[in-house]
Amino acid sequence: MNEFWTSAAIATIFGAAIGGMISVWGLSRNIKHKSVIEERQKWRDSLRSLVPELVGELDEKSRKEIRDSIALRLNPYEDADCVDLIDKFHGNPSDELAFAIVARFQDLLKRDWERAKIEAGFWPWRARDRADERVNTQRQRSLNARKSNPGRSSG
């Protein structure tokens, strides 16, 4: 009978320890994700306002200030293509480059939004890769729909 109580005590302690670790993990995950997701939302909102401001700005000095503001919000290692595109636009503004900038930032913002949704979910691992897969799948579906219905506009 003594072995039963010893086993029960060990199981209780083990269960409490596991429960405590899961609670701490869940709490720290929620705090981290809440703050990170809120900051990334502010980041997306700032880019949503800066990009149209950039492509609509006629004054070269103001365009340079907006360019710098956008560049400071981007990852210098992963988003260098965005800055290069903005620099081309700054040197020679055109509607074609403006559309390219908007399209590139739409893609960047969409990927970040998908990543945020994945990270906020139950299974946040590999969020960047999974977000890229989702966006690429959505893009392919959209392209296929346009090919099959060339007269219809996507809306």
Side-chain angles (χ1 to χ4, degrees):
M1 198 62 144
N2 202 12
E3 290 178 21
F4 171 77
W5 291 112
T6 303
S7 297
I10 290 171
T12 302
I13 291 169
F14 186 72
I18 296 292
M21 287 188 298
I22 290 172
S23 294
V24 168
W25 174 80
L27 182 62
S28 66
R29 180 180 180 272
N30 286 342
I31 291 169
K32 176 189 173 227
H33 280 84
K34 184 178 186 310
S35 61
V36 169
I37 288 170
E38 286 175 4
E39 288 303 312
R40 284 181 34 207
Q41 181 60 45
K42 291 176 191 174
W43 174 80
R44 285 190 301 271
D45 290 342
S46 71
L47 287 177
R48 281 189 190 104
S49 65
L50 286 169
V51 170
E53 196 177 324
L54 172 77
V55 298
E57 183 58 57
L58 300 175
D59 180 60
E60 189 173 336
K61 184 179 178 195
S62 295
R63 261 197 324 269
K64 172 78 169 97
E65 289 175 9
I66 298 167
R67 176 255 182 235
D68 292 346
S69 186
I70 292 171
L72 288 171
R73 286 171 170 78
L74 299 176
N75 183 323
Y77 312 111
E78 295 179 8
D79 302 321
D81 62 317
C82 293
V83 177
D84 291 343
L85 195 56
I86 291 170
D87 287 342
K88 286 179 189 174
F89 178 79
H90 178 70
N92 185 20
S94 69
D95 286 345
E96 182 179 307
L97 285 172
F99 289 131
I101 289 170
V102 169
R104 178 63 186 99
F105 276 90
Q106 277 182 312
D107 183 69
L108 180 77
L109 293 168
K110 176 63 176 169
R111 287 176 191 280
D112 189 71
W113 174 242
E114 290 297 327
R115 182 177 165 192
K117 290 191 305 186
I118 291 168
E119 288 176 349
F122 181 73
W123 195 259
W125 295 273
R126 292 188 48 247
R128 181 175 295 181
D129 294 336
R130 291 169 50 208
D132 287 345
E133 291 170 13
R134 281 186 187 180
V135 172
N136 291 338
T137 300
Q138 292 171 1
R139 177 184 291 124
Q140 193 58 49
R141 283 185 192 145
S142 176
L143 292 173
N144 291 342
R146 289 180 195 164
K147 286 180 186 176
S148 64
N149 297 316
R152 286 184 69 183
S153 65
S154 61

